[in-house]
Amino acid sequence: MLRLDVCVDGRAVEFAGVVRDGRAFIDEAGFETFGRLVDLLLAGPEMIAAGAAGPWSDRIRRETHMYVREAGGEWLSLGRGPGRTRTPAEDPRATPLLAALTTDHAPVVAGTTPAADEPRARARAWAETMRRGGWRAVVRRTKRGELGLEVLAEVARKHPGVPRQRCAYVLTGDPRVPEALRWRSDELYTSWSKFDFLVDLRGLDDPRLPADAPLDDPAAARAAKAADVLAGTAPGAMDTLRALTTVASVYERTWEPTRPVFVVRTFRGLPNPPARPLDEIVTMLQGNPDDGALWLETGFAAYDACLLHVTDTAFRRATELGAGGGLPRLWRAWLSCRHDPHRALRESDVAATEGGVTGAARHLQAHVHEALLRDPDTALGYYAQATADGSGSVGAWIDHGALLLRRSRHDEAIRVFTEALEQHPDGRLWHWLGYARLMAGETDAALDCVEQALRVRPGMVREIVDDNDLAPLREHPRFRALPALAEEYAGPYHRAVRAGLRPDGERTPPRTDPAAAVAAVERLRDTYSNYEPCVVEAKRLGDGTIDPTLRAVLAKVGLPRYMGTFHVAHEITHGDQALQRYSGGENPDGWGGLSQLGSFYEDPYRGVAVDGETGEVFVTRHDRPPTYLAPDVATFLATLCEEAGEHEWRIAPNGLDRLDDVSGIGAGRLRLIVDGLDEVDRARLILFLKRHGALLYHLEMKRFGFTRTDFSGFDFAAHCPNLRVLNLRGATVDESVFAHPALERFALEEGHYRGARDIRVGTFVDVDGRDGTRLREISFRDCVVEADTLLVGPHARLVDFRNVLDEDYSEAFPGRLEFAGCEDLHRIHINAVTYWELTLRGHLPRLREVEQDATPYGAFTSTVVDASAKDEARYLRLIKKGTDFTKYW
């Protein structure tokens, strides 16, 4: 049996988890305070059992201070951050895991912690496969590991003239990517970093497809497949990376792997029809596992979600079910071409015979021969087949003509592009024909072609103007006039593209309704009023950018910088004169005339833009055409406030009507934040709490003027039984808040306590062994507390006690504070210009901070009672340390 307690100090709340028998018993308090740490702590049993205790603790220590102990033993500090001193275990032989965690070096190195046999067996098998593939074993010359990694095996390879590549089988301690291959190359990936990636072997975030075609291969099978890819791929780092993305999700190695790496297609001939979101299709697939059309769409959706390995699985199943003709097989051929080009050629041949993709299949074969096998003569033959019957795509015609140009066969290239334009009047073909004419010495004809390219597709202007192959034309007046020509044709062109994106039946959407605009923006402001605001001046929005009514509303109320996952545009938050407006002639199809409103946090390259003429809202992403999002800005803003599950209401005087409708809200599901209410409004609020207080789990009330909300005599336990967080400013309360059975956090600022003279928490036992309270935080700030004693007893769950008292509020405060046998108490912080006596009684096992400051006019004394000699010495050190700290600051 594994018995280990883990204690994490997380800002204002201590989070405690106990690892026993592979299960995690997590205290419910503090979940929202700890955020992502909750996932790490819940994954603790699995990470430790897999041998990733070191990386797992590194990730927690990166965020906050961490303690461990054997169940019932003394707490041992692991510190916070790399290199921090750890408290060593007194008897390291008793528990090897505990001894390894508390060893005074950082991080915990490979091989020092107990590990499950399965990951090590998989690592050994993988390393053997890699050695057979030409990689050599790496002997680690140091015992020091790397932060966040437990290396189980490592290999490397070096080809003459090619940067060295290394690959290691690692445990990360991260529940999202717990077991992975770390692949590195000394070649530069970007201008500032080298290739350093994690290949996910567990696929925990992959969509769960039906069981008859399992997506989540066992880690060993996925590792073996990755080994085959690494052994068979050309030594170039980018080729290797492309191949690895077809095996599993590949993440850049960071502390926060969030989005798989996506390698852009280098082959332009693959049909890629639009697909619904991946989650939606997978849900439908669960009920229809033999629907080949759904599997086919799953492949395209997975590609859009950057999951190429899922794409491969879905297309394999679609091929087995006979869906899509040769299309799914053709995609699988492309996915394999980087690490097995001959297989790609064979699969393309079969796809061509299955129908529907003959031209695309010959195009891929030409691409493989030209780009991978370096056989341009054979490639030309396949290009001719791809375009012979006129069915070739624009990409096939371009690649055919481009290869002829590279081989100085200009006349043949001109013939190919001319014939292509008869089939596809595309701006790209006009651009290439202009280049071919220039290479043939036909300057005027070349200018005619590039001008026609911009008439057809004005968004290509920057590509054409910056094309170094057209450098001989740059000083010609007609060439210098190309931007003006593109702008002339841009408006109608981009509007036509966007019109084709509207949902069926929507031709000319209505302008933003003024009332809807006001309601949406004001609701948005109320919902996110605690976020850092930015003032939106009318001049920053730009004339014609947004409907005039909405512009006035935005300028009046402003916007928060961050609205959930949506971030307001840089131009608004930094005070530029106008929103970024996409020029008609220098952006992807459909972007011209749009103005950016902001971007999404999870994908900063996915923006939100508004059409200044119609008011429609679109999503812009990378170099793709936009996608339709909403008919107007008001509708888009309203979607940001949609409530699901838990409800959050921010009530201002103009929003009191929301209190009249509580339909659809379950008990303990409402978070209520109140601001700016006068005396009459507050009376209405108290009436609401008496009638519907059971709906609340969080109540935050801000002060208005110099008046107080009087809650003395209001029984929060009776009226708000599910309340867990109570944060009041400028209110009067009584002792009922300290006896609330569910309340976990209580904060009072500039308020008044008027009740029993002795405030008691955890001083008597109920049937559950507690006193009926779950309070973990008590905080007073500038409050008048009319009490003589504050006593926190041995049955309390209190973690953090804080009191900050300015001299203007020092007329009343308990003169005696006692903490007796509090098992969970971690921090005492008192900064008050008054007089008090602090008593620490008995065993306080988790106490780590005692800070007291009474300057300039107050004084305090500290006493230790009924404590062991060891505890007494520790308490006195904490008291002295806290006093010295406050004096220093």
Side-chain angles (χ1 to χ4, degrees):
M1 178 184 291
L2 174 63
R3 299 178 64 88
L4 181 71
D5 288 356
V6 179
C7 170
V8 174
D9 166 28
R11 297 178 292 277
V13 180
E14 179 181 359
F15 188 99
V18 183
V19 181
R20 291 195 181 100
D21 298 325
R23 297 180 62 196
F25 299 85
I26 301 296
D27 194 308
E28 295 177 359
F31 265 53
E32 58 270 17
T33 302
F34 281 87
R36 62 173 300 275
L37 278 178
V38 174
D39 294 333
L40 284 174
L41 288 163
L42 288 172
E46 179 186 354
M47 298 298 104
I48 293 174
W56 174 70
S57 67
D58 286 338
R59 293 180 183 279
I60 295 176
R61 291 169 58 247
R62 179 175 178 267
E63 302 290 336
T64 186
H65 206 108
M66 183 178 181
Y67 305 88
V68 296
R69 70 173 180 182
E70 291 182 289
E74 293 296 322
W75 287 105
L76 303 173
S77 172
L78 300 188
R80 176 173 183 172
R84 297 297 298 270
T85 301
R86 306 179 183 204
T87 303
E90 295 180 359
D91 185 3
R93 295 171 298 176
T95 307
L97 172 61
L98 189 63
L101 286 172
T102 56
T103 301
D104 191 16
H105 56 72
V108 177
V109 300
T112 62
T113 56
D117 293 334
E118 295 179 0
R120 295 196 183 279
R122 287 193 287 267
R124 287 193 297 269
W126 168 82
E128 182 60 32
T129 303
M130 295 293 286
R131 285 193 289 271
R132 290 197 300 268
W135 294 63
R136 61 176 179 82
V138 173
V139 179
R140 300 177 69 84
R141 294 184 173 85
T142 176
K143 292 184 179 180
R144 189 172 295 276
E146 292 193 57
L147 285 173
L149 292 180
E150 180 88 6
V151 180
L152 304 184
E154 188 169 9
V155 295
R157 73 174 177 180
K158 179 71 171 68
H159 289 270
V162 179
R164 180 180 59 170
Q165 293 185 18
R166 290 169 289 178
C167 196
Y169 199 109
V170 299
L171 303 176
T172 69
D174 189 328
R176 290 168 297 190
V177 190
E179 201 167 333
L181 298 179
R182 182 193 182 190
W183 171 74
R184 292 177 288 173
S185 173
D186 292 340
E187 185 177 335
L188 283 179
Y189 177 59
T190 65
S191 60
W192 63 86
S193 66
K194 296 183 179 181
F195 287 82
D196 193 349
F197 296 94
L198 292 176
V199 182
D200 178 19
L201 297 180
R202 296 279 294 278
L204 297 182
D205 290 334
D206 292 344
R208 293 296 177 260
L209 300 187
D212 60 341
L215 167 67
D216 189 15
D217 297 329
R222 193 171 287 193
K225 188 174 181 181
D228 292 340
V229 166
L230 289 167
T233 307
M238 185 55 74
D239 287 342
T240 304
L241 178 60
R242 287 194 182 101
L244 287 173
T245 59
T246 66
V247 175
S249 294
V250 180
Y251 299 88
E252 287 193 64
R253 184 182 170 251
T254 64
W255 284 105
E256 294 290 336
T258 55
R259 188 174 180 83
V261 172
F262 181 68
V263 181
V264 179
R265 285 205 312 269
T266 56
F267 168 58
R268 291 176 284 199
L270 275 177
N272 184 18
R276 289 167 288 184
L278 182 59
D279 292 343
E280 178 182 338
I281 302 174
V282 170
T283 300
M284 298 175 62
L285 203 57
Q286 298 295 336
N288 301 276
D290 296 325
D291 189 326
L294 281 178
W295 280 106
L296 187 65
E297 190 176 5
T298 300
F300 296 123
Y303 178 79
D304 291 339
C306 309
L307 300 173
L308 296 188
H309 60 292
V310 182
T311 299
D312 184 64
T313 299
F315 285 145
R316 173 177 58 80
R317 185 66 175 136
T319 301
E320 294 169 354
L321 294 171
L327 182 57
R329 189 183 300 274
L330 178 64
W331 265 84
R332 296 194 71 212
W334 170 73
L335 290 172
S336 66
C337 70
R338 284 288 167 177
H339 60 277
D340 195 346
H342 296 288
R343 173 193 163 190
L345 292 174
R346 294 192 302 270
E347 292 289 315
S348 298
D349 260 333
V350 178
T353 63
E354 290 176 333
V357 292
T358 301
R362 301 309 178 201
H363 185 190
L364 178 59
Q365 290 175 313
H367 169 77
V368 170
H369 279 290
E370 179 188 0
L372 302 179
L373 301 181
R374 302 293 189 266
D375 185 358
D377 292 329
T378 303
L380 282 173
Y382 279 107
Y383 280 132
Q385 293 182 48
T387 58
D389 58 357
S391 63
S393 65
V394 172
W397 287 100
I398 290 176
D399 289 344
H400 188 189
L403 180 55
L404 290 170
L405 287 174
R406 284 193 291 273
R407 299 179 70 80
S408 299
R409 295 160 64 171
H410 303 142
D411 292 339
E412 293 180 64
I414 291 173
R415 179 185 57 78
V416 166
F417 289 130
T418 302
E419 184 179 349
L421 282 166
E422 296 174 0
Q423 307 289 334
H424 308 281
D426 190 279
R428 292 168 294 174
L429 289 168
W430 281 110
H431 180 191
W432 276 97
L433 180 58
Y435 173 51
R437 295 284 188 189
L438 180 63
M439 292 297 96
E442 303 173 15
T443 301
D444 290 337
L447 288 168
D448 291 339
C449 290
V450 294
E451 287 175 345
Q452 183 60 27
L454 295 182
R455 293 188 185 98
V456 174
R457 197 171 182 179
M460 294 180 58
V461 62
R462 184 51 52 195
E463 179 183 348
I464 292 175
V465 170
D466 293 341
D467 187 354
N468 289 328
D469 291 331
L470 301 180
L473 300 177
R474 286 182 179 164
E475 299 304 320
H476 197 287
R478 289 175 63 187
F479 191 87
R480 296 170 69 177
L482 290 179
L485 178 66
E487 199 64 36
E488 177 184 348
Y489 285 85
Y493 175 76
H494 288 289
R495 285 194 293 273
V497 171
R498 291 197 292 273
L501 301 174
R502 293 176 187 147
D504 294 339
E506 293 193 22
R507 293 176 175 268
T508 54
R511 297 301 301 254
T512 302
D513 177 66
V518 173
V521 176
E522 290 191 347
R523 183 181 178 197
L524 188 77
R525 178 195 59 184
D526 292 341
T527 301
Y528 298 102
S529 63
N530 65 328
Y531 285 61
E532 183 181 1
C534 61
V535 178
V536 183
E537 299 176 10
K539 65 179 182 180
R540 298 184 196 169
L541 300 176
D543 292 335
T545 301
I546 305 176
D547 175 86
T549 302
L550 183 57
R551 289 178 68 248
V553 175
L554 291 173
K556 175 184 177 183
V557 303
L559 289 176
R561 295 175 187 269
Y562 307 106
M563 294 172 280
T565 61
F566 178 70
H567 292 188
V568 176
H570 173 93
E571 285 72 21
I572 292 179
T573 59
H574 288 77
D576 293 349
Q577 293 301 305
L579 289 175
Q580 176 180 337
R581 187 176 178 88
Y582 297 114
S583 168
E586 300 182 6
N587 283 283
D589 296 345
W591 284 41
L594 296 179
S595 296
Q596 188 185 33
L597 285 176
S599 61
F600 290 97
Y601 174 77
E602 68 272 14
D603 185 358
Y605 298 104
R606 188 161 63 102
V608 174
V610 60
D611 186 327
E613 295 185 358
T614 67
E616 295 167 291
V617 180
F618 294 85
V619 174
T620 58
R621 182 178 176 186
H622 299 297
D623 293 329
R624 305 179 186 180
T627 55
Y628 187 89
L629 184 60
D632 51 55
V633 178
T635 302
F636 165 66
L637 295 180
T639 62
L640 296 177
C641 305
E642 289 181 354
E643 301 154 342
E646 293 186 355
H647 299 256
E648 178 174 307
W649 286 1
R650 295 179 180 271
I651 302 297
N654 60 354
L656 281 171
D657 291 342
R658 298 190 71 184
L659 300 178
D660 296 333
D661 183 9
V662 296
S663 58
I665 303 179
R669 307 299 293 176
L670 178 60
R671 174 186 173 98
L672 185 62
I673 301 174
V674 184
D675 189 13
L677 302 190
D678 59 22
E679 187 173 353
V680 175
D681 294 337
R682 291 198 299 272
R684 182 177 177 183
L685 173 67
I686 292 176
L687 181 60
F688 171 83
L689 295 177
K690 289 180 178 180
R691 291 177 177 174
H692 306 292
L695 303 179
L696 272 67
Y697 75 92
H698 180 117
L699 174 60
E700 181 177 340
M701 193 165 182
K702 302 180 181 180
R703 187 169 185 169
F704 179 72
F706 296 97
T707 59
R708 285 197 176 100
T709 304
D710 191 356
F711 284 110
S712 60
F714 182 89
D715 191 339
F716 279 97
H719 299 300
C720 306
N722 301 306
L723 194 64
R724 301 199 304 271
V725 179
L726 181 60
N727 190 340
L728 302 175
R729 183 176 182 183
T732 300
V733 298
D734 57 22
E735 66 274 10
S736 67
V737 296
F738 299 106
H740 195 295
L743 192 64
E744 299 169 6
R745 297 208 293 266
F746 170 64
L748 184 63
E749 182 177 356
E750 297 179 4
H752 198 144
Y753 168 81
R754 186 184 296 117
R757 301 298 298 183
D758 293 337
I759 300 175
R760 294 176 176 269
V761 180
T763 58
F764 62 91
V765 183
D766 65 3
V767 293
D768 297 323
R770 298 284 188 175
D771 70 344
T773 66
R774 300 168 58 97
L775 271 172
R776 298 179 66 81
E777 289 183 51
I778 297 176
S779 174
F780 294 105
R781 177 178 290 273
D782 293 338
C783 295
V784 176
V785 181
E786 297 183 16
D788 301 322
T789 303
L790 172 65
L791 177 60
V792 182
H795 308 294
R797 305 184 185 188
L798 191 67
V799 172
D800 193 307
F801 175 81
R802 291 176 178 267
N803 179 68
V804 178
L805 191 63
D806 185 82
E807 58 189 89
D808 295 333
Y809 296 86
S810 60
E811 65 216 49
F813 185 75
R816 177 169 169 263
L817 297 95
E818 180 174 324
F819 299 87
C822 306
E823 180 181 332
D824 298 333
L825 185 64
H826 180 91
R827 180 187 294 109
I828 300 171
H829 177 93
I830 306 173
N831 184 341
V833 186
T834 187
Y835 300 87
W836 72 90
E837 176 187 350
L838 174 67
T839 300
L840 304 179
R841 184 183 297 274
H843 187 47
L844 306 171
R846 298 183 182 178
L847 186 62
R848 289 296 180 271
E849 295 180 25
V850 180
E851 295 182 6
Q852 301 179 89
D853 184 13
T855 57
Y857 307 121
F860 62 87
T861 59
S862 303
T863 306
V864 178
V865 179
D866 297 337
S868 66
K870 183 177 180 180
D871 280 344
E872 181 177 4
R874 183 166 64 87
Y875 300 161
L876 293 176
R877 285 197 303 269
L878 292 175
I879 292 170
K880 183 178 184 303
K881 180 180 178 181
T883 304
D884 292 343
F885 176 81
T886 56
K887 286 181 178 179
Y888 174 79
W889 288 104

